[in-house]
Amino acid sequence: MKRLLLIPLIAALTMTARAQDDAIGKFFGKYLDDSRFTVVSVSPRMFRLMSKVNWDTIPSDLKQTVSRLQSFRILSTETTPSVFYKEALAQIDRKEYEDLITVRDNKDNFRFMIRATGNTIHELLMIAADKDGFTLMSFVGDIDLDKISRLGADLDIKGMENLKNAKRK
């Protein structure tokens, strides 16, 4: 009897997690083949392969950060940044994500959000629009904000400098 009750619970939790991933995935999928966009997508398999590489010149904490990631996606365009920024925000279930940082002035909009359970961050999402374009970036895995910030700085990922001093509420 307990097994029968457990099955629907597990299915419901899986569907909830997939529903949000589907919203973000659909947004990425919608523009994946659109020539206006630059797309970067690193699969879970690639992260598993990267964690096995012997990186003598990479600090061990960065290796550990990479080994805990499951996926990384970037979608960016220089075309109508504010339109895509608003569309991306509309796709996100705000009940699933916690605002971490919002930077807004008359030219720039940067928003960092996390999806977490307790103290474990499962996804870091950045949505940004400025005079140069729109960027949606998603890290999925077991995420340490300090280490992801450092990785972003080492890879020179635009917008990640805003994450440097972030602390979870």
Side-chain angles (χ1 to χ4, degrees):
M1 182 67 172
K2 288 182 183 179
R3 286 186 197 168
L4 291 175
L5 293 174
L6 194 58
I7 291 171
L9 177 63
I10 291 171
L13 290 173
T14 302
M15 286 187 286
T16 301
R18 286 186 181 164
Q20 183 57 49
D21 186 47
D22 286 347
I24 294 165
K26 284 179 186 177
F27 190 84
F28 274 94
K30 181 177 180 180
Y31 297 110
L32 185 65
D33 294 322
D34 189 322
S35 63
R36 298 173 295 174
F37 285 85
T38 299
V39 178
V40 176
S41 181
V42 181
S43 71
R45 174 115 171 114
M46 185 63 190
F47 280 110
R48 284 193 303 272
L49 291 171
M50 288 170 56
S51 70
K52 295 177 183 176
V53 172
N54 184 10
W55 299 342
D56 294 332
T57 60
I58 305 297
S60 63
D61 62 331
L62 287 182
K63 288 181 200 177
Q64 184 181 29
T65 299
V66 169
S67 72
R68 291 181 173 181
L69 292 175
Q70 296 171 0
S71 73
F72 173 63
R73 298 182 287 186
I74 298 177
L75 185 67
S76 65
T77 184
E78 295 174 357
T79 307
T80 61
S82 63
V83 171
F84 291 114
Y85 180 82
K86 290 174 186 172
E87 181 182 351
L89 280 178
Q91 294 288 319
I92 296 169
D93 180 354
R94 301 303 298 266
K95 294 174 191 166
E96 294 288 322
Y97 285 83
E98 174 185 337
D99 280 326
L100 194 62
I101 301 174
T102 300
V103 178
R104 184 179 60 236
D105 64 20
N106 60 352
K107 300 174 191 168
D108 302 334
N109 282 303
F110 284 88
R111 189 170 288 203
F112 285 91
M113 293 179 252
I114 57 172
R115 184 172 48 88
T117 305
N119 290 328
T120 304
I121 298 173
H122 303 290
E123 182 175 15
L124 171 65
L125 189 62
M126 182 192 83
I127 303 172
D130 62 14
K131 63 180 175 43
D132 296 325
F134 162 79
T135 302
L136 174 64
M137 180 173 52
S138 170
F139 287 95
V140 176
D142 182 9
I143 297 171
D144 178 312
L145 290 178
D146 292 331
K147 290 178 182 173
I148 287 291
S149 175
R150 183 170 167 207
L151 180 63
D154 287 350
L155 296 175
D156 195 28
I157 298 172
K158 183 178 179 179
M160 291 297 285
E161 68 276 4
N162 293 304
L163 187 61
K164 185 177 183 180
N165 296 316
K167 296 295 178 209
R168 204 160 162 223
K169 295 175 187 177

